[in-house]
Amino acid sequence: MTLPGPVGGTPVKKRIERSITGGCLISLVLLIMVGVSLVAVVGYVLWSTSSTTEKNRTAAEAELRDLIDRTARESAEALRTSATADPAALTTLIWKHTEAPVITYDAARKGFTAVVEKATVYERASILGSSPDRITSCGIFTYALGPDHAWHVNVAARETAACLPAREIDALTREAGRILEHSDDNPTTVTQAQDVLDRTRPLGRLTVRKVTHDKRATTVSALLTDTAQTVGQCFLFTLSHPGNQVPSPVAVTPASSC
């Protein structure tokens, strides 16, 4: 006759089970602590990178405002100190200080409006490192003669959508300049210049109005428009005569009329 064993197992087996149970609990606690630490570290890194990005962006916004204000001051001062009242010369002067691809002249009020997109770059931080990002603003500069017969400027910063026509015209002028610079043809007539510049795309946004030339250079006067053809700007494309030993790049400047 076999006697039944002790209920619940032997004392040794019970000690082993208690040790295993205790070890599992300790491991579980350690895993929880590691997980909490990782979450805390990741949370801090995310907060730190977000804070750094926000500081960089705030500094870039202030830099952009300063850039627009400085452009307004310097361009107005250049107009005030100029000795000319010629709209063509004043248009060129405004362009030199603003780089605006659209500069319109209002003959009735004898004033100008320049539209140009300005931008600053800042570093966007992330867990994996940092990468450059841009802040843009559309600057609209309005120049007028005041009661003191001196030039004054009002500047407004708008959303970048307001600068879409100016951006499209700027891109078109750059493309037209590259085409003229790398062309083997030397256009001496409106038809010839139009044939060369019809290589720009899309067609219909650039119309050659006049071509003048001498022994040193050829100047093409053209009207460029945005895609919607609601905004137009005259430009002068001046290219060296192909007979020159070292032809210079095509000079592109806006004009008050064409």
Side-chain angles (χ1 to χ4, degrees):
M1 179 176 181
T2 303
L3 297 175
V7 178
T10 64
V12 172
K13 184 178 181 180
K14 288 182 178 181
R15 284 196 298 271
I16 293 173
E17 290 175 347
R18 283 195 298 269
S19 297
I20 293 173
T21 302
C24 289
L25 288 174
I26 292 172
S27 298
L28 180 60
V29 170
L30 289 174
L31 286 173
I32 292 174
M33 291 177 65
V34 170
V36 170
S37 298
L38 286 174
V39 170
V41 169
V42 171
Y44 173 77
V45 172
L46 290 174
W47 172 83
S48 179
T49 55
S50 176
S51 177
T52 300
T53 297
E54 186 60 30
K55 289 179 181 177
N56 292 345
R57 183 179 177 86
T58 299
E61 289 173 344
E63 182 182 348
L64 182 56
R65 288 192 297 270
D66 180 67
L67 173 62
I68 293 175
D69 290 341
R70 187 170 66 252
T71 300
R73 291 193 306 270
E74 291 178 354
S75 57
E77 181 62 24
L79 292 179
R80 282 193 288 268
T81 57
S82 67
T84 180
D86 177 43
L90 293 174
T91 297
T92 301
L93 194 59
I94 292 172
W95 175 75
K96 286 181 178 179
H97 288 273
T98 64
E99 298 182 336
V102 174
I103 304 172
T104 56
Y105 174 64
D106 187 338
R109 67 177 182 85
K110 296 182 179 180
F112 297 86
T113 300
V115 181
V116 60
E117 184 177 81
K118 295 293 185 181
T120 54
V121 178
Y122 70 99
E123 290 296 317
R124 177 181 289 277
S126 68
I127 295 179
L128 301 178
S130 61
S131 59
D133 203 350
R134 297 171 77 246
I135 297 179
T136 58
S137 181
C138 183
I140 301 176
F141 304 86
T142 304
Y143 304 88
L145 284 170
D148 55 355
H149 301 288
W151 286 101
H152 298 271
V153 59
N154 289 323
V155 59
R158 298 284 185 264
E159 295 294 325
T160 54
C163 265
L164 177 60
R167 287 201 307 272
E168 292 180 343
I169 290 174
D170 184 50
L172 185 58
T173 61
R174 295 175 189 275
E175 182 184 3
R178 285 194 298 268
I179 288 174
L180 286 171
E181 185 175 342
H182 295 96
S183 175
D184 294 330
D185 303 319
N186 177 38
T188 58
T189 67
V190 170
T191 301
Q192 291 173 348
Q194 189 68 62
D195 288 342
V196 172
L197 290 171
D198 275 347
R199 299 169 193 169
T200 58
R201 292 293 182 271
L203 287 172
R205 289 179 50 203
L206 189 155
T207 304
V208 177
R209 293 292 180 83
K210 185 171 58 175
V211 176
T212 59
H213 58 92
D214 55 29
K215 293 182 179 180
R216 294 187 303 172
T218 296
T219 300
V220 177
S221 176
L223 175 66
L224 285 68
T225 69
D226 64 328
T227 302
Q229 297 192 346
T230 57
V231 177
Q233 177 65 49
C234 294
F235 275 87
L236 300 178
F237 298 88
T238 304
L239 55 153
S240 300
H241 195 279
N244 292 349
Q245 289 292 330
V246 183
S248 60
V250 174
V252 183
T253 54
S256 58
S257 64
C258 53

